[in-house]
Amino acid sequence: MRYINKKLTIEKLSVDRIAKKYGTPAYCYSFSQFRKNILNFKKSFNSFSPLICFSIKSNSNINLIKEIKKFGFGADVVSMGELMVALKAGIHPRKIVFSGVGKTSDEINYAINKNILLINAESQSEIKEIERIAKLRNKQVQIGIRLNPNTDAKTLKQISTGKKENKFGVNEETFLDLVKKYKRSKNVILKCLSVHIGSQILDHKPYEKMLKVIYKIIKKANFNFEFIDLGGGMGIQYENNHNKLDYKKYNNSIIRFLKKYNSKIIFEPGRSIIGNTASLISKVTYIKEEKTKKFIVLDAAMNDLIRPALYGAYHKILPGLKKNKRSNKIYEFVGPICESTDKFSSIKNFQELVEKDLVVLQDVGAYGMSLSSNYNLRLKPIELLIKNTKIKVIRKRQTYKDLF
Ligand code: LLP
C-alpha cells in the first residue's frame, strides 16, 4: 500500500474508489503481496522441498485457497468444515493434515473416507478412537502424534501452544509410550511427529530449541518417522519496530536436523502467507468529542476484526486521504458494538479526520475474516481480491436474508 497523489492505494486502485464501488467495511487482499509471500516462503526452505500446508483457520476463503493450491500448497485443517473447504478448493487429499484436540467420531470418519495424508492425533483417547473406526471399516489410517515439546514460543500467552500447561499435544513420556503402543498397529499407521509451539513468533530461537527437543525424543523413541510436521507460527511485522523472523537461521537449523534425521518436513503456515496481504477499509460514521480525546466511531467493529479486543493486538490505521493537519487530541478508534472492548486503538497526533473520511486497518489477512462473527446481528463484510487494476469479489457482503 502506498500514497499516490495523497490517496492510499492498494496495488493500482485507490481505497476511495474501492469504497465507492463496494461500500465499507471491506476486506481487500493484494494479490501481488500474496504471491510474493508464497514464493518467499517456498524459497526460504527450498533445499529440502517441504510439504507446505496452508493453515485454513487463518483464512478460509475458498477463492484464496484455490489460488494457494496453484502454488502446490496443501492444507492444515482443524474441523470438518475446513477439511471440506480445502477439498472443494481442489487441494489433493494426500496434501492435507488434520490437527486439533477434539476431533469427533464424525470428523474422523469423514477424514478416513477422504483418505487424507495424516490425522495428527493429540491424545491417547483420540488414537484409540481412530483405531476403533479404522478397524471397523477395515482401513489403514496414517497418523501423526502431536508432541507438546514444552517450549516457550515467546509470543502472546493467548496464542502460545507448546508449553506443558497448554492443552495441545502429549508430553514426552506419553509420546514415547504411544509410539511403543502403536508402532505395530494394523489399522493405525504411525507416520509423523507433529508440533506447533505457537503463533506470531518473531525469534528463531524457540524453533531451534523445539528442534533440539524433537531430536532428543525421536532418538529415545527409536522409530523412523516418515514426516516431521513443524507446524506454523512464523510471525509478521504488525509494528515497524517488530523484529523480523530470521528464516535463514530457522532453515539452517532444520538442515542440521535433517542431516541427523532424514525425514520429510511439513509446515503449516497461516499468518506468514496471508497476514500482511489484506486491509480493512472502514468509514468514519461519527466523531464524538470529549475533553481529552475524540472517539472516532467507525463502521467496522470487533465482529469484523476481533484481534484487538481479544488479544490487545495492534493493527496500524492509515487515513484514506492524506492531509497535513494533525489532531492535538488523542483519537480513539472504536466500533459501534455495545462492548467497551470494541476498540481498535488510541493514537496521538493522527491527522485531522472528519465524518465520512475513510481509514484503513492494516495487516488483517490472517485471523481477520476467519474470526469474524454476526455479533449484534451485524452483517459480515465483503472480501475483495485486488490484482493490479482489477477487483474480484471473493465473498459477497452478507445480506439480512442470509441471517434470517
Ligand atoms: N498449525 C496449528 C496446529 C495451529 O494451531 C496453528 C494456529 C497454525 C498451524 C497456524 O499458525 P500461524 O502460522 O498462522 O501462526 N487467532 C490468533 C492466532 C491463533 C493461532 C492458532 N493456531 C491471532 O489472531 O493471532
Side-chain angles (χ1 to χ4, degrees):
M1 296 189 80
R2 61 209 159 103
Y3 285 94
I4 301 177
N5 298 332
K6 301 202 169 175
K7 286 182 172 178
L8 190 58
T9 59
I10 302 173
E11 302 230 341
K12 295 223 165 92
L13 288 170
S14 77
V15 159
D16 173 53
R17 220 171 117 191
I18 301 170
K20 274 204 181 101
K21 183 143 190 221
Y22 295 97
T24 53
Y27 270 92
C28 297
Y29 298 84
S30 154
F31 184 75
S32 69
Q33 186 63 49
F34 180 49
R35 189 170 172 274
K36 200 166 138 191
N37 294 347
I38 292 175
L39 296 178
N40 276 347
F41 195 96
K42 282 179 89 162
K43 207 168 123 208
S44 301
F45 303 107
N46 66 359
S47 71
F48 52 87
S49 313
L51 170 62
I52 310 171
C53 296
F54 176 64
S55 192
I56 304 282
K57 68 174 83 66
S58 67
N59 193 306
S60 47
N61 187 300
I62 190 164
N63 290 298
L64 295 174
I65 304 168
K66 280 182 186 164
E67 296 289 346
I68 290 176
K69 186 216 147 206
K70 292 184 195 157
F71 293 87
F73 276 43
D76 152 49
V77 303
V78 289
S79 69
M80 190 132 110
E82 287 192 1
L83 177 49
M84 283 174 174
V85 83
L87 292 168
K88 209 163 173 209
I91 293 196
H92 195 283
R94 287 279 149 171
K95 285 188 174 178
I96 298 181
V97 298
F98 193 168
S99 324
V101 292
K103 300 175 203 78
T104 64
S105 311
D106 280 350
E107 288 178 318
I108 293 169
N109 246 306
Y110 187 74
I112 292 176
N113 276 344
K114 297 298 173 189
N115 205 18
I116 65 169
L117 179 65
L118 291 166
I119 301 181
N120 283 336
E122 305 216 15
S123 62
Q124 170 151 12
S125 302
E126 185 187 342
I127 304 182
K128 272 192 188 155
E129 181 61 0
I130 300 170
E131 194 180 40
R132 183 189 70 79
I133 298 172
K135 232 183 218 161
L136 202 71
R137 308 203 24 218
N138 204 14
K139 295 245 184 183
Q140 292 199 318
V141 179
Q142 301 196 153
I143 68 155
I145 304 177
R146 179 161 173 186
L147 170 74
N148 182 326
N150 194 18
T151 306
D152 188 350
K154 304 252 186 296
T155 182
L156 289 171
K157 75 170 189 314
Q158 300 98 321
I159 54 176
S160 176
T161 50
K163 291 206 306 192
K164 63 176 189 298
E165 59 267 33
N166 302 127
K167 69 180 173 185
F168 303 97
V170 297
N171 63 27
E172 171 175 349
E173 203 187 331
T174 313
F175 184 87
L176 293 172
D177 190 41
L178 290 174
V179 174
K180 231 189 248 162
K181 270 195 185 124
Y182 289 94
K183 67 180 173 192
R184 275 185 268 281
S185 161
K186 284 205 188 80
N187 300 93
V188 156
I189 314 300
L190 186 52
K191 288 268 178 183
C192 174
L193 174 154
S194 80
V195 282
H196 171 78
I197 55 172
S199 202
Q200 184 53 12
I201 298 171
L202 292 166
D203 180 0
H204 65 280
K205 286 190 209 91
Y207 283 127
E208 270 179 3
K209 202 168 157 214
M210 167 189 97
L211 283 164
K212 279 190 187 140
V213 174
I214 296 175
Y215 183 66
K216 196 183 95 203
I217 294 175
I218 43 185
K219 282 305 261 187
K220 279 192 197 162
N222 192 24
F223 182 78
N224 272 338
F225 290 99
E226 186 177 334
F227 301 100
I228 301 289
D229 179 345
L230 298 175
M234 296 83 170
I236 59 168
Q237 289 177 292
Y238 287 104
E239 299 186 46
N240 295 341
N241 62 354
H242 269 166
N243 284 340
K244 257 194 182 156
L245 176 66
D246 193 333
Y247 279 78
K248 242 191 201 146
K249 288 196 172 141
Y250 187 21
N251 177 57
N252 287 341
S253 44
I254 299 172
I255 291 175
R256 279 198 298 277
F257 171 88
L258 289 174
K259 276 192 184 136
K260 296 186 285 184
Y261 193 85
N262 188 23
S263 49
K264 174 108 181 153
I265 297 292
I266 300 177
F267 287 119
E268 303 172 353
R271 192 188 318 264
S272 50
I273 302 297
I274 199 76
N276 68 355
T277 65
S279 328
L280 179 60
I281 308 178
S282 176
K283 195 185 267 178
V284 177
T285 309
Y286 296 117
I287 297 183
K288 256 176 88 165
E289 185 143 12
E290 297 293 326
K291 273 217 174 76
T292 55
K293 61 184 173 186
K294 281 185 183 177
F295 288 104
I296 311 294
V297 185
L298 302 180
D299 64 359
M302 66 192 280
N303 76 299
D304 305 303
L305 175 69
I306 203 174
R307 300 193 71 254
L310 202 54
Y311 315 113
Y314 170 79
H315 287 271
K316 204 187 277 169
I317 302 184
L318 293 176
L321 186 68
K322 225 180 198 167
K323 299 178 208 160
N324 292 331
K325 209 164 161 219
R326 303 255 138 207
S327 160
N328 52 7
K329 274 195 172 168
I330 292 173
Y331 276 2
E332 192 160 314
F333 290 89
V334 299
I337 281 184
C338 308
E339 299 264 357
S340 294
T341 54
D342 185 22
K343 170 183 158 180
F344 293 114
S345 56
S346 287
I347 304 179
K348 262 190 204 164
N349 298 321
F350 202 84
Q351 77 168 39
E352 278 286 356
L353 287 174
V354 294
E355 291 174 357
K356 311 273 180 288
D357 271 352
L358 293 173
V359 295
V360 175
L361 289 137
Q362 289 209 295
D363 304 322
V364 297
Y367 309 104
M369 191 63 182
S370 67
L371 270 166
S372 67
S373 76
N374 289 119
Y375 187 41
N376 277 205
L377 270 194
R378 284 169 47 86
L379 302 175
K380 289 199 190 186
I382 192 169
E383 285 181 287
L384 305 166
L385 181 61
I386 318 285
K387 260 190 205 177
N388 225 322
T389 53
K390 292 207 175 74
I391 306 181
K392 186 175 166 193
V393 177
I394 54 170
R395 193 192 312 257
K396 288 184 189 155
R397 188 181 298 286
Q398 262 187 339
T399 64
Y400 288 105
K401 217 169 140 201
D402 298 328
L403 287 187
F404 311 126

